[in-house]
Amino acid sequence: MRIADIAGTELFAEGPRQIVRVTLEGDHPAEVIITGEARGAATGSGVVEVPVTTERRPGETAMITVTAGGESRSAEFEIAEPGWTVWMVSHFHYDPVWWNTQAAYTTTWDTAGEAAQASRSAFQHAGFELVRLHLETARREPGYKFVLAEVDYLKPFWDACPEHRAYLRRLLAEGRVEIMGGTYNEPNTNLTGAESTIRNLVHGAGFQRDVLGGDPRTAWQLDAFGHDPQFPGLAAAAGLTSSSWARGPFHQWGPMLGGGDPRLMQFPAEFDWVAPSGQGVLTHYMPGHYSAGWWMDSSTTVDEAAAEVLKWFLALKQVAATRNVLLPVGTDYTPPNKWIMDIQREWNARYVSPRFVCGLPREFFAAVRAQREAFLPQTRDMNPVYTGKDVSFIDTKQVQRRAEVLVADAEKFATLAAVEKRADYPFALMDKAWRQLVYGAHHDAITGSESDQVYLDLLTGWREAYTIGSETLDGALRTLSAGLSGVVVWNPSSWARTDLVRARLRFPAGWRGIAEAALVENAVLDDDGCLAEADVTFLADDVPPLGYRTFSFTPGGNAGWLPAGGTTIASAAHAITADPSKGGGVTSWRAGGRELLQPGQVGNELVVHDEYPAHPKFHEGPWHLVPKGVREGSSAHPAEVVAERSALGERLVVRGGFGPVRYVQEITLWHGLTRVDLVTHLDFDGADQLVRLRWPVEIDQALPVSEVGNAVVGRGFALIDADTADHPWTLDNPACHWFALSATCRIGSRPIGVAEIVAGPDVPVGKLRALAAALVRQGVTATVSRADGPRYGDLAVDSNLPDVRIAVGETPWPKGWHPAARPLAEVWVPSADLRARDALPVLSIGADDVDALIDDLADAVVEVAGETYEPYTVGLINRGIPGFAVEPNGALNLSLLRSCTGWPSGIWIDPPRRTVPDGTNFQLQHWTHSFEYALVAGPGDWRETGLVREGHDVNHPLTALDQGVSGEPAAASLLDVPGSMVLTALKPAGNPIATGRLPEGVTGMTMRLYEPHGRTADIDLPGWRRTDLLETRSEPDGPVTGMDVVTYTRDAVGGGVAPAAEPFQPVFTRYWLHNTGPAPIGNLPLAVHLTPETVTVASSLVEDRVAGTVTLDGAVTRDFTLEPGAHVAWPNEGWTTASLKYQGQTFEDRLGEATLDAATETTHVAVRAGERSEIVIRLTCDVPVQAQLISPWHTYDLLPLWNTGADPGTAELRFPVVGGHRPGKWWALVKLAYGGKVHYTEPVTVEVLP
Amino acid sequence: MIAARVGDEVISVAEVDERARLLYDGPLAARLPHPASPEGRNLRRWLVQLMTMERVVAQECDVRGDAGPAALSVTLPLALRTGGVVASVLATPAGQALFARVEADVPPGEVRAYYDRNRDRHPGPFARESAGIAAQLVQARREALFARWLERRHREKVTLMPGFEHPGDPRQPDATHRH
């Protein structure tokens, strides 16, 4: 007998008594006795676990003597802390689309094409099967608890499998299932406007709470590639109290990537996540990722699995804020873990701490709250993660921005039309449009990380939102313009505007031009050579907020652009010169007499960066920017530059080409406007390349500033020229409407943007929260760390870097303002580590000085004696081109386009595989693109240069209605909004369809506003009541604090309900099999489903009783009456179709095989401006065919008909092609969906000839 | 060159290559990842999982005098479609022969408890429902035991050579839990 080893553990037996492990050599059992500062005894052989009692405190060391079989040995061990719980949360992460299709992920993965199996893990299942597997486990295991989340599978499952409703309701009542999220899906909130995020919450909470009966409290954003800074505030405003997710503050796989140490985190995993609005939610960051606990599934014994859980406990407890660890047990599409219940049973029979409990996030959060009152506040920017997301499939980001704007503007004016003119409101259409935007905001959709087939499927969603938005806006403005004459210009902004407007006008006989300042283009002339119709652009002066002004013209001479000679253009605000020998790049840009470009550098330059197909180490392609450090710019090649002038302004037109790009750029200065309007048209034929557009401006000390969702924050410089094999993170970021080089806040002469607040032990958490909130209100995000903990600023772990430290209380820095050892640009290098004490400037204050600093921050300037600074701002506004990078030297870069061949580029599930007509993957983007952007420059910070309004206006253009070229003057504003606020939504009060109710007409209006500049606004809105984001509870009125997002509602008498239906009927009930996104128009309040065994009709209504009739095989009928939330089932007597008419639509489910033959008449269509042609598809099918033409952004006017279908039999589908004025080469194909199958026709080249 | 050892037997790289060649010459070819890509190498790793599992089953059948290895034909798509390699083994005659030997019992109290908890599914009197419930619980238990037994035997018998690790092994160089 020999004592081989003595070791303390973190385990406790009943008592609680800490377990000391004593390893004995020899086979015979022996009694092991421990004496000394800890005492206990146990008998055994091999490894003997001896529970001991002690008076020593956790963290202290106990000296002991161990005696066994006559031998005695002294040892010491550390006293551990009992009372820990590991909450094993059984979950599955679910992407409704990614490399595989919506159909496969929802139900048909097992039978989908072989490509759907090639990248599948053995344990993965489709959504319906997953829900069933978890429900079955719950039936067998009374202690089994699990979570469900996304509406993407919950809604179809609720409708198609109503037999599970009662059991699911029971599990909810018993507290065994938690419905997570309060969101529709896991959106990438940093790539959409805040209003899309709000609707995600409205639809998520509406379905999960009202329809399903859950109680979502935790935003469950597991996989989202970073988060919009305002998200925690919006979540709080939607009634959520917590959030949890795996990506944001650190690189994509977290601090534990490659065996990394979680103790590098500067704050515990549980923290108070605070938005620029000052609101926030308690958050659990998953340091071990959302899959951490899943992998024990491959253990072969329960002990091995328990050891795996213990390993995670020991790692994660180091960064837990309380004695609770959340261990996510699940990964993508996983069934219940094999061992989770055995572990709970067997482990807890042996040990009382740590307990391993199969539990729910709400139990975890309740336990966390019970042990601690206050958590460190973090306003840290949870970005960037996966920089490729900002630019891959750039066309989808452009169309989503445009659709989002159109839907929001359509909603505003349709609401005003309903109230002002008693027009019926298109509830169902607008609801569908928002659901399409919400669906497309998913982190494998708007991010461009999807496969080629999924990309095509997603395009139909954005096109539908765009179509509904533009048609509804047009209809509403027509209603509102009734009785007005002349050209009626409508302003969707909540402030008066003077801006350009474009309209297609028809002219009376005899007009050869317009007398007033205008641009007349693309004219159609009558037989006398006079204007019949033309595109007319003019400067609409002083159009009232959310209102109109009419404009009247007289015949005259103004026409289009005329050659001006030279290569310089000028307006009152700017002078710009381009150089043909430098690719047409801008060699001088002067504003207010100041040269803005760096000497010897050119602006508006196109730069092509070579990339890897996928990262050499991480193997990540479309969602990760992977430049090789090799770039080529347009300035090295000659180009043609032409200056032109018109009655409205001057412009430069640049034509050039090099490498994989051929380009046409227009730079326009308009008289009467202070911004520079630009567009770059691009034809691209490269592979694994990134095209950036570069403006190397020079502003001393200025830092990058980025608009985000309803807020503005500072963001660090990017490192875009390093080889990502060695330096994997470029630090690109997504901007909402604009980014700039500016000063969002400053200390003395030093602009600041991203801070580390280093807190001494003497500073209460409440004060830290107030300081962090005051900073972020001025755009300075902050990581709040402890003086004795790790520092923020190491690119090996942190996803972004700070540029200043604010030390509060007892810290190593003497009180005062300490400059950095070296300039920021010198330390901001690839793989930077800015943790050194003097790497950044430090403002060190006492704990008692916090309130004074907060007061000082109200004007975004912390005064320092003897230091002055004159801020200057250059801003770059984008129209759906979010990716940006500001180099440490001040060069602004906009990411235009990217081609990536890395997986899942080109993946195709339902053969035959389709490509761009030249045979390349769609991900490579080989077609004509147009990128619109604008520049703003001026003295002062971004607030003073008016960037918020300018960015909003560029994205929300004025709309003109032709009510005759001449008319009576008139102007009015239809809604009063305080001038200090930005209105982002105006809608009918309530969210009936999202919450399972039938709309009954407009009975009120709701508007959403935000304060954009970080200033407190006293606003007076008589008749309006403050409400929460979901409009379910009233909120106290009061001043609106800086960057807060607020909702107001009021009663109003308005119109009724405008009917709406899908363009093609019947609507296939299992819509997900057609990969068409969210549920059809109306959101399927009543769903009919057919299986070989049963016919079911299920209601998702929460208040209404509904009666109807199901028709089976067109002959037999079954009548039903359903109470709210109820369903009915009949045995299937051999029927293969079931249909149901409801609310003017016919819904149909269908069993059995269907066959389709389809042929495309010609695969190349070329037209000139004004010419028409057609894409003709001939098809034969034995079931109804839904036919959707798919084509990229910028072709919607060219291909105006897209959403149609054909009845069973032989049909010819004709899609018109209408030649426009912008030459280019695009593609189109038609998705044919029939009885749950999909076929994509051969791609057609669609060319507009010059 | 050896890809894996299974008990006293070896699976050679040539055998793996041959199995892969059949796949790449077959109808799936166009949709399989390039063999030199990380995905292609992971496909080979799956094949090795499949082949080692076949060998384990064959050896167990020999030991027990059950149906010979000829009765076993596991295919990759089947494996992936039926919830993994174990499930695909279960779908073969040899796997079924082994599965037939797995015994499990469920205590009567558990049957009664299941009945009490799931009356929505079992509305009849306990006497009429209990046999069906017991059969269903026994089947689920047997499947779990079989899977655990087979995976344990696989673990005990199989040694994978570098380059042929389990595709889900986070330590292997092509492991990409992509997100």
Side-chain angles (χ1 to χ4, degrees):
Chain A
M1 179 67 57
R2 200 178 77 83
I3 299 169
D5 190 43
I6 300 164
T9 68
E10 302 266 347
L11 310 177
F12 287 82
E14 209 58 64
R17 292 169 296 159
Q18 189 175 356
I19 299 230
V20 175
R21 280 202 175 126
V22 178
T23 307
L24 303 179
E25 282 181 358
D27 296 334
H28 299 293
E31 188 181 23
V32 180
I33 299 167
I34 296 179
T35 55
E37 290 173 346
R39 293 160 303 281
T43 302
S45 59
V47 177
V48 183
E49 296 197 335
V50 185
V52 297
T53 56
T54 181
E55 284 77 47
R56 312 290 284 174
R57 313 280 313 151
E60 294 177 353
T61 300
M63 304 290 299
I64 52 172
T65 302
V66 180
T67 311
E71 197 197 347
S72 214
R73 248 181 83 177
S74 290
E76 59 179 54
F77 70 98
E78 190 177 318
I79 303 299
E81 189 181 32
W84 284 84
T85 304
V86 177
W87 301 92
M88 300 185 292
V89 173
S90 181
H91 79 104
F92 57 87
H93 170 57
Y94 183 84
D95 298 317
V97 285
W98 179 23
W99 60 269
N100 208 347
T101 60
Q102 183 185 13
Y105 281 145
T106 313
T107 53
T108 61
W109 202 342
D110 287 350
T111 53
E114 298 301 339
Q117 318 306 331
S119 299
R120 180 179 185 178
S121 290
F123 49 74
Q124 293 182 320
H125 296 279
F128 278 28
E129 184 62 10
L130 289 172
V131 179
R132 283 194 205 103
L133 287 166
H134 286 270
L135 290 175
E136 284 307 312
T137 303
R139 283 182 181 273
R140 280 200 303 274
E141 293 274 9
Y144 183 64
K145 297 178 180 179
F146 64 105
V147 306
L148 295 172
E150 282 83 358
V151 178
D152 280 313
Y153 65 82
L154 284 174
K155 163 76 178 163
F157 187 83
W158 195 245
D159 287 345
C161 309
E163 67 276 15
H164 292 287
R165 285 184 176 188
Y167 187 63
L168 201 43
R169 287 189 179 116
R170 197 175 108 199
L171 290 178
L172 283 168
E174 291 172 355
R176 292 179 58 201
V177 65
E178 182 171 352
I179 305 294
M180 302 303 299
T183 50
Y184 181 93
N185 52 15
E186 294 177 23
N188 244 75
T189 52
N190 48 21
L191 287 173
T192 69
E195 194 59 27
S196 281
T197 303
I198 291 168
R199 302 309 167 104
N200 205 301
L201 288 155
V202 165
H203 279 278
F207 185 80
Q208 295 182 334
R209 195 167 286 159
D210 293 73
V211 178
L212 216 58
D215 183 22
R217 294 286 171 186
T218 304
W220 192 240
Q221 298 293 302
L222 303 180
D223 192 24
F225 307 167
H227 308 270
D228 187 78
Q230 286 283 35
F231 183 77
L234 299 178
L240 303 181
T241 53
S242 54
S243 85
S244 189
W245 34 265
R247 301 185 197 274
F250 310 103
H251 293 306
Q252 69 265 42
W253 299 109
M256 300 176 78
L257 172 69
D261 186 345
R263 287 173 299 179
L264 293 170
M265 290 168 54
Q266 301 94 38
F267 48 92
E270 290 75 34
F271 57 90
D272 184 6
W273 186 21
V274 181
S277 66
Q279 296 194 66
V281 286
L282 174 61
T283 292
H284 168 71
Y285 168 72
M286 298 169 170
H289 208 66
Y290 64 73
S291 314
W294 167 255
W295 305 109
M296 67 169 168
D297 193 70
S298 51
S299 301
T300 57
T301 64
V302 65
D303 287 345
E304 200 183 309
E308 186 80 2
V309 177
L310 180 63
K311 194 185 85 190
W312 278 111
F313 163 71
L314 294 173
L316 297 177
K317 78 182 284 276
Q318 304 175 100
V319 290
T322 68
R323 294 191 306 280
N324 294 280
V325 167
L326 190 152
L327 185 67
V329 179
T331 182
D332 303 4
Y333 314 102
T334 43
N337 188 284
K338 237 182 266 170
W339 299 106
I340 188 168
M341 296 314 296
D342 287 342
I343 288 177
Q344 166 162 304
R345 270 188 291 272
E346 300 196 13
W347 180 270
N348 296 339
R350 281 152 67 185
Y351 308 112
V352 298
S353 178
R355 293 188 309 137
F356 292 170
V357 177
C358 174
L360 297 174
R362 69 158 161 259
E363 297 174 284
F364 165 78
F365 281 111
V368 166
R369 285 196 172 93
Q371 284 179 17
R372 184 181 278 275
E373 271 178 18
F375 299 85
L376 276 189
Q378 304 297 340
T379 57
R380 177 170 175 141
D381 187 9
M382 302 301 177
N383 297 296
V385 173
Y386 287 146
T387 48
K389 73 181 185 306
D390 306 340
V391 59
S392 289
F393 280 131
I394 188 64
D395 56 313
T396 64
K397 291 169 236 296
Q398 292 175 286
V399 62
Q400 111 80 36
R401 172 74 62 81
R402 186 69 192 119
E404 193 176 44
V405 162
L406 273 171
V407 169
D409 287 350
E411 191 177 59
K412 291 172 197 169
F413 286 113
T415 303
L416 290 170
V419 172
E420 298 278 325
K421 306 276 185 179
R422 301 284 193 277
D424 289 343
Y425 185 82
F427 285 93
L429 280 177
M430 295 310 294
D431 171 82
K432 177 78 186 289
W434 278 116
R435 280 186 292 119
Q436 283 288 17
L437 290 170
V438 160
Y439 182 89
H442 182 261
H443 64 269
D444 285 311
I446 190 61
T447 53
S449 54
E450 69 270 22
S451 63
D452 278 19
Q453 187 186 348
V454 171
Y455 158 73
L456 295 178
D457 291 335
L458 287 167
L459 282 183
T460 63
W462 286 303
R463 177 134 199 202
E464 185 176 11
Y466 171 92
T467 304
I468 292 173
S470 44
E471 288 176 358
T472 303
L473 178 62
D474 188 62
L477 293 183
R478 278 181 198 290
T479 301
L480 288 167
S481 300
L484 300 172
S485 60
V487 178
V488 189
V489 176
W490 286 92
N491 173 11
S493 301
S494 52
W495 46 83
R497 273 170 74 175
T498 295
D499 209 337
L500 284 182
V501 64
R502 290 181 174 81
R504 187 78 182 165
L505 299 185
R506 284 159 291 129
F507 293 88
W511 286 52
R512 294 189 182 274
I514 286 178
E516 293 77 14
L519 191 56
V520 181
E521 293 173 298
N522 307 325
V524 174
L525 302 181
D526 63 18
D527 295 340
D528 301 329
C530 292
L531 294 171
E533 57 178 80
D535 292 334
V536 175
T537 307
F538 60 98
L539 192 69
D541 191 43
D542 192 26
V543 185
L546 292 156
Y548 64 90
R549 181 175 295 282
T550 62
F551 292 83
S552 190
F553 297 99
T554 49
N558 277 318
W561 293 101
L562 297 168
T567 56
T568 296
I569 53 171
S571 67
H574 305 273
I576 290 176
T577 303
D579 184 345
S581 74
K582 293 185 175 172
V586 172
T587 48
S588 169
W589 171 22
R590 298 184 75 81
R594 173 179 174 143
E595 175 59 55
L596 299 177
L597 292 179
Q598 296 173 21
Q601 301 253 347
V602 301
N604 215 31
E605 184 183 19
L606 291 166
V607 182
V608 175
H609 296 252
D610 288 349
E611 287 198 273
Y612 296 98
H615 190 270
K617 182 169 157 211
F618 302 120
H619 310 296
E620 295 169 307
W623 46 96
H624 200 127
L625 282 186
V626 281
K628 292 175 170 174
V630 179
R631 63 150 88 171
E632 185 184 11
S634 55
S635 64
H637 305 267
E640 174 196 291
V641 178
V642 175
E644 295 177 331
R645 80 163 66 93
S646 74
L648 291 185
E650 302 185 358
R651 73 173 181 185
L652 293 170
V653 181
V654 178
R655 287 170 206 280
F658 70 101
V661 300
R662 284 156 308 291
Y663 59 92
V664 179
Q665 294 177 306
E666 293 159 21
I667 307 169
T668 310
L669 298 175
W670 305 103
H671 301 313
L673 293 186
T674 54
R675 65 172 191 257
V676 187
D677 275 349
L678 301 104
V679 58
T680 291
H681 306 286
L682 202 72
D683 279 274
F684 177 81
D685 63 4
D688 292 320
Q689 283 165 318
L690 167 68
V691 184
R692 297 188 192 261
L693 181 113
R694 189 165 184 268
W695 279 91
V697 300
E698 186 166 49
I699 309 167
D700 184 41
Q701 300 266 2
L703 294 177
V705 175
S706 167
E707 187 180 69
V708 294
N710 292 2
V712 173
V713 297
R715 278 178 160 159
F717 292 114
L719 302 160
I720 63 176
D721 281 322
D723 182 345
T724 47
D726 305 320
H727 308 287
W729 294 291
T730 61
L731 304 186
D732 284 62
N733 261 301
C736 195
H737 293 144
W738 56 268
F739 71 100
L741 204 52
S742 183
T744 193
C745 184
R746 63 185 198 271
I747 300 176
S749 60
R750 171 103 177 198
I752 62 169
V754 182
E756 178 178 18
I757 299 175
V758 184
D762 54 329
V763 192
V765 168
K767 282 213 164 178
L768 292 169
R769 194 186 196 283
L771 176 58
L775 277 165
V776 77
R777 199 169 286 141
Q778 304 310 333
V780 180
T781 61
T783 294
V784 181
S785 64
R786 287 293 183 186
D788 58 358
R791 294 279 70 76
Y792 164 40
D794 179 10
L795 260 193
V797 55
D798 294 312
S799 60
N800 59 48
L801 296 172
D803 52 59
V804 68
R805 290 200 164 87
I806 298 175
V808 187
E810 295 163 14
T811 72
W813 291 276
K815 304 294 173 254
W817 173 228
H818 311 284
R822 294 160 65 197
L824 189 63
E826 282 183 27
V827 293
W828 201 289
V829 294
S831 298
D833 184 352
L834 307 180
R835 290 177 298 173
R837 196 184 144 137
D838 59 355
L840 297 175
V842 180
L843 176 67
S844 179
I845 61 168
D848 294 338
D849 301 330
V850 171
D851 293 339
L853 179 58
I854 290 171
D855 289 346
D856 206 359
L857 281 165
D859 63 351
V861 179
V862 177
E863 309 293 347
V864 175
E867 292 193 17
T868 58
Y869 181 74
E870 292 299 327
Y872 193 90
T873 297
V874 175
L876 207 168
I877 296 165
N878 76 78
R879 292 191 75 183
I881 322 163
F884 80 90
V886 181
E887 296 169 58
N889 65 17
L892 309 176
N893 287 266
L894 189 63
S895 297
L896 295 191
L897 171 151
R898 182 181 188 227
S899 62
C900 181
T901 62
W903 185 91
S905 171
I907 292 288
W908 195 272
I909 305 301
D910 296 292
R913 175 174 171 239
R914 299 306 188 190
T915 65
V916 179
D918 72 357
T920 56
N921 297 346
F922 289 96
Q923 178 76 262
L924 270 59
Q925 303 272 300
H926 285 191
W927 58 89
T928 306
H929 299 262
S930 292
F931 302 100
E932 295 169 287
Y933 48 103
L935 287 163
V936 169
D941 66 18
W942 57 270
R943 300 170 187 89
E944 288 157 292
T945 43
L947 262 168
V948 172
R949 286 188 174 189
E950 202 73 68
H952 186 278
D953 290 348
V954 167
N955 278 278
H956 293 254
L958 300 174
T959 306
L961 239 63
D962 180 5
Q963 309 261 86
V965 281
S966 308
E968 296 300 314
S973 172
L974 304 186
L975 189 75
D976 249 354
V977 176
S980 57
M981 307 289 284
V982 180
L983 178 134
T984 52
L986 175 68
K987 60 188 273 296
N991 298 294
I993 297 176
T995 56
R997 291 165 174 87
L998 297 172
E1000 289 171 346
V1002 175
T1003 58
M1005 291 195 291
T1006 293
M1007 65 177 173
R1008 195 125 36 231
L1009 309 169
Y1010 79 96
E1011 197 291 323
H1013 289 153
R1015 308 289 186 259
T1016 298
D1018 280 307
I1019 61 173
D1020 185 27
L1021 285 166
W1024 294 85
R1025 305 179 298 276
R1026 188 114 163 229
T1027 177
D1028 71 323
L1029 194 145
L1030 303 179
E1031 303 169 55
T1032 52
R1033 59 172 204 261
S1034 55
E1035 296 275 330
D1037 214 346
V1040 178
T1041 51
M1043 293 203 191
D1044 200 3
V1045 182
V1046 289
T1047 307
Y1048 288 86
T1049 193
R1050 67 169 300 160
D1051 297 334
V1053 182
V1057 180
E1062 291 287 339
F1064 181 69
Q1065 302 279 327
V1067 177
F1068 188 59
T1069 336
R1070 285 177 289 156
Y1071 54 91
W1072 59 87
L1073 296 182
H1074 291 178
N1075 302 335
T1076 46
I1081 286 172
N1083 204 20
L1084 275 187
L1086 211 52
V1088 60
H1089 282 275
L1090 193 57
T1091 70
E1093 295 78 35
T1094 52
V1095 184
T1096 57
V1097 181
S1099 166
S1100 290
L1101 294 170
V1102 300
E1103 286 173 354
D1104 296 87
R1105 190 165 186 254
V1106 60
T1109 302
V1110 180
T1111 304
L1112 298 145
D1113 286 355
V1116 184
T1117 59
R1118 292 282 183 273
D1119 295 333
F1120 62 86
T1121 302
L1122 289 179
E1123 298 301 319
H1127 71 279
V1128 59
W1130 302 273
N1132 184 349
E1133 297 174 15
W1135 303 304
T1136 56
T1137 62
S1139 69
L1140 170 64
K1141 285 188 171 27
Y1142 184 62
Q1143 289 183 320
Q1145 302 196 80
T1146 303
F1147 299 98
E1148 185 178 271
D1149 198 5
R1150 183 176 277 278
L1151 294 175
E1153 288 300 304
T1155 56
L1156 171 89
D1157 282 311
T1160 306
E1161 192 176 75
T1162 168
T1163 56
H1164 194 124
V1165 176
V1167 289
R1168 288 194 158 75
E1171 290 180 356
R1172 294 174 74 94
S1173 183
E1174 283 180 322
I1175 293 172
V1176 181
I1177 308 290
R1178 295 205 177 79
L1179 62 91
T1180 304
C1181 189
D1182 44 7
V1183 301
V1185 182
Q1186 181 184 19
Q1188 295 185 320
L1189 178 126
I1190 305 174
S1191 64
W1193 176 231
H1194 291 306
T1195 61
Y1196 294 176
D1197 291 338
L1198 181 61
L1199 298 158
L1201 174 70
W1202 72 279
N1203 197 3
T1204 179
D1207 293 328
T1210 297
E1212 203 169 65
L1213 295 172
R1214 294 177 168 274
F1215 297 92
V1217 180
V1218 183
H1221 293 277
R1222 164 57 44 195
K1225 200 189 268 190
W1226 298 277
W1227 50 267
L1229 52 76
V1230 180
K1231 179 165 114 178
L1232 302 169
Y1234 55 106
K1237 290 167 76 176
V1238 288
H1239 173 85
Y1240 302 77
T1241 62
E1242 235 177 306
V1244 176
T1245 301
V1246 182
E1247 197 170 2
V1248 175
L1249 304 168
Chain B
M1 288 272 282
I2 294 171
R5 294 182 192 281
V6 183
D8 298 334
E9 299 180 74
V10 297
I11 291 174
S12 69
V13 174
E15 284 173 84
V16 178
D17 288 345
E18 173 61 14
R19 190 78 171 248
R21 192 186 61 75
L22 289 175
L23 212 53
Y24 278 95
D25 286 351
L28 306 187
R31 279 167 252 133
L32 292 177
H34 189 276
S37 68
E39 292 75 34
R41 290 193 291 272
N42 280 338
L43 184 67
R44 272 158 66 89
R45 288 184 172 91
W46 274 119
L47 281 177
V48 173
Q49 287 295 305
L50 211 59
M51 295 169 74
T52 50
M53 194 61 93
E54 286 170 357
R55 208 63 72 90
V56 169
V57 171
Q59 290 176 4
E60 293 296 322
C61 285
D62 288 347
V63 168
R64 290 153 187 257
D66 284 316
L72 184 81
S73 75
V74 177
T75 64
L76 185 73
L78 180 69
L80 294 172
R81 284 191 169 141
T82 51
V85 176
V86 170
S88 66
V89 164
L90 253 181
T92 67
Q96 277 298 315
L98 287 178
F99 181 65
R101 297 181 159 262
V102 179
E103 286 176 11
D105 58 3
V106 173
E110 228 173 88
V111 176
R112 178 73 210 194
Y114 184 93
Y115 170 79
D116 289 341
R117 287 198 309 272
N118 297 288
R119 293 301 310 276
D120 57 329
R121 273 200 183 161
H122 302 285
F126 181 64
R128 207 167 69 212
E129 300 276 6
S130 63
I133 294 172
Q136 182 196 328
L137 294 181
V138 164
Q139 179 70 7
R141 188 83 199 124
R142 285 177 67 217
E143 283 173 11
L145 286 175
F146 179 71
R148 290 176 186 186
W149 169 78
L150 194 56
E151 283 177 354
R152 198 178 67 242
R153 292 301 288 151
H154 190 266
R155 172 79 60 93
E156 288 162 0
K157 287 189 152 193
V158 175
T159 310
L160 300 169
M161 298 301 146
F164 298 93
E165 304 88 346
H166 189 282
D169 184 341
R171 290 158 300 190
Q172 60 104 340
D174 297 312
T176 53
H177 171 71
R178 289 190 183 88
H179 56 272

